[in-house]
Amino acid sequence: MGGKGEHGTAMNTIKMIVLLIFLHSAAFAQLSPTQKRVDFEQLAGLFAKRYAFVEWKAEALGVNALTIENWLARAERTESDREYFALCAEYVAQLQDGHAAFLLPTNFRAWLPFGVDIYQGKPVIDQVSRTVADQILPGDELVSLDGEDVDSLLQRFELVIGDGNPRSRRRVAASFLTNRPQALLPEASQVPATATVVVRRGSLELTFHLPWEREGTPYEFAGPVATPRLESNTGTLEGLPEYLRPRESLMLYRSALDRYVRNMGTLRPAYQLPSDFRLRLGGLQSDPFFSGVFEHQGRRVGLLRIPNFNNMALRDLDLEIRFFEDNTDALLVDVTRNPGGSGCLVEWIAQRFTRTGFQSLGASFRVTWDVLGAFESSLQRALILGAPPDVVAELERQYSSAQAAYRAPRGFTEPLPICGTSRNIAPVMDRSGQPFGYTKPVVLLIDEMSYSSAELFAALLQDNGRAILVGMRTNGAGGAVASHPVGHYTEASARLPQTIAVRTREIAVPGFPVTTYIENVGVQPDVELDYMELAHPATGDQEFWKALRSVIDNTINGVALGQSLGAQPR
């Protein structure tokens, strides 16, 4: 017994010595003011060179990313690497762009066994793990966490969240209250061992003590670690012509990083389904989308939820579209809580909703040397593979546009196709050469958590008069995103858009210049319907469904629905 105790004491002593050595090393491993300045100038230089929306942010938001004197002074005054990391994140977040982020090279995450979102303007718990279901209840309002008022926490977290839509920015901040990825939130590693959670339940305020769970390795200072390289999670896109492969990375329209909002990017929607809903696809995680049918006043309404725009089995979608065409009177399509994905899938899915074709959005490319090389490689591959003459001619025209843009100061191409060689998109055909797209009324659900390619999809259907858009203004992330290493000393990375998505018509929205952009402006619904106000974890979403069914009824009956948020085409 004595020997075992002595061994345990010795091991504890060794662990303490190792910990002290680590802390001592960390204290002396902080970046110098000069190193911080060098890294910050590289971060700003990356945005000056590649960021598509520098001019737009200055015009629309009054944010000049190229004026960095004050930022450099603040960087040199930071007292720790972690404080410097937070400053870099704040610099990128000021651009209010759901595509852009400053990312630390760490997989560390801390979390509590419940989730929070903003319902009726308040931070309300809407996800609860079974481990604390006897303490925390859905519908509890979170008052404070670890001794800090929730409003104070939300304001601090919003400083490093770059979403262009204030509602989504607030909701993402709420998700970070109990789910803290250090890649985006530098302070995440500083949570205590035990959280002090204060909630309001009716007239009572209750206090609970719950352990903070942790995983991964925290990034406390800029030591000698490898430069992070973030890979696209969309994989190789099935169906993309071989000559467009060099430009595939320029077709990724996705949020900068995962958002920990309930049902974000999941097959199953956040709302409760009607009692008579009959599921078709979505019961298996391997299913590409969620679909089914429910009744409404003697009519059959289809539901198609597209959880993201990553690789999708279009053959399955074709079968479902044929079923909906033959067996429904209207179709409810849901792209809420959708992080985006491939710009090509936007057009390919939209093809299933027309039999006459449509004009798609364009993409104006911020041309750097690697982008110019991608255009050249596409042209060379088309020539080698014997592509049709009209395809070669169009790729030559696009390459010439990219060359001219590269020679110009911060040059952009004219709006080019977001995928392929034409903005005029033909309907999809069956084997006999006949179009088979869905022809009946379509209601498209959107919200502030609809990002990037989900927004392109909404804009495309709206611009072509193919759907009634219902919900809330989308996130306002309107460009294709790429990731780049940044900082010789920090060894971090940054994501930013290098293209500007351009609609087919100008939109006038209060608070912004008249524009064809989606960036910041988002896509405005034709009918405003706020799920986060009409629903609540404690009382359900009956009011939401009541309002939504009214819109479906009016759409089926052909009642004109005006654009209720004032977004008027010019």
Side-chain angles (χ1 to χ4, degrees), residues 268-562:
R268 196 173 185 87
Y271 44 80
Q272 298 175 5
L273 295 165
S275 58
D276 63 345
F277 180 78
R278 297 294 177 263
L279 178 69
R280 287 180 53 79
L281 286 176
L284 301 175
Q285 283 300 313
S286 58
D287 287 338
F289 46 79
F290 186 92
S291 65
V293 178
F294 62 93
E295 299 287 332
H296 174 70
Q297 296 186 354
R299 309 285 186 90
R300 300 191 76 198
V301 179
L303 170 62
L304 174 66
R305 169 161 169 77
I306 303 172
N308 56 60
F309 285 82
N310 295 341
N311 223 337
M312 178 182 287
L314 293 174
R315 298 180 191 88
D316 292 337
L317 181 60
D318 290 345
L319 292 174
E320 209 64 5
I321 290 295
R322 287 189 174 97
F323 171 84
F324 285 140
E325 178 68 17
D326 294 338
N327 295 280
T328 65
D329 299 291
L331 183 58
L332 177 64
V333 181
D334 177 4
V335 294
T336 63
R337 308 190 189 211
N338 184 314
S342 167
C344 292
L345 273 175
V346 168
E347 295 183 343
W348 297 348
I349 294 174
Q351 284 180 294
R352 275 72 184 169
F353 292 91
T354 179
R355 294 197 178 184
T356 59
F358 56 83
Q359 185 177 16
S360 186
L361 289 77
S364 186
F365 291 78
R366 169 71 188 101
V367 180
T368 51
W369 185 250
D370 56 323
V371 173
L372 183 62
F375 276 89
E376 182 183 18
S377 295
S378 284
L379 174 58
Q380 293 301 322
R381 286 198 186 191
L383 291 168
I384 292 171
L385 295 171
D390 60 327
V391 168
V392 172
E394 173 59 20
L395 291 176
E396 287 176 339
R397 187 188 70 81
Q398 293 181 14
Y399 180 44
S400 295
S401 178
Q403 286 179 310
Y406 182 74
R407 289 191 292 266
R410 273 193 53 80
F412 284 83
T413 67
E414 64 197 78
L416 301 176
I418 60 174
C419 177
T421 55
S422 177
R423 292 178 63 183
N424 295 316
I425 308 300
V428 68
M429 303 291 184
D430 61 21
R431 292 181 179 178
S432 65
Q434 297 299 313
F436 64 86
Y438 190 76
T439 63
K440 298 172 184 178
V442 175
V443 173
L444 181 67
L445 273 179
I446 58 174
D447 69 356
E448 61 270 21
M449 305 308 293
S450 302
Y451 283 80
S452 207
S453 57
E455 302 182 77
L456 269 62
F457 183 73
L460 194 159
L461 294 189
Q462 188 178 62
D463 288 353
N464 287 274
R466 187 57 193 95
I468 297 295
L469 273 56
V470 179
M472 299 300 290
R473 176 186 129 197
T474 62
N475 186 268
V481 66
S483 182
H484 301 276
V486 61
H488 299 300
Y489 301 102
T490 310
E491 297 181 277
S493 62
R495 280 191 174 185
L496 72 169
Q498 277 191 240
T499 73
I500 298 174
V502 180
R503 298 182 68 165
T504 59
R505 60 179 184 173
E506 289 187 328
I507 299 294
V509 177
F512 294 98
V514 174
T515 184
T516 56
Y517 293 176
I518 292 173
E519 185 72 12
N520 293 109
V521 174
V523 179
Q524 311 292 320
D526 300 308
V527 179
E528 184 174 312
L529 187 60
D530 192 346
Y531 177 83
M532 301 305 293
E533 287 293 326
L534 294 173
H536 194 279
T539 58
D541 50 21
Q542 295 88 345
E543 291 301 313
F544 165 77
W545 270 106
K546 180 180 177 181
L548 180 57
R549 284 180 180 273
S550 176
V551 175
I552 293 171
D553 190 49
N554 288 335
T555 303
I556 292 175
N557 293 326
V559 177
L561 297 170

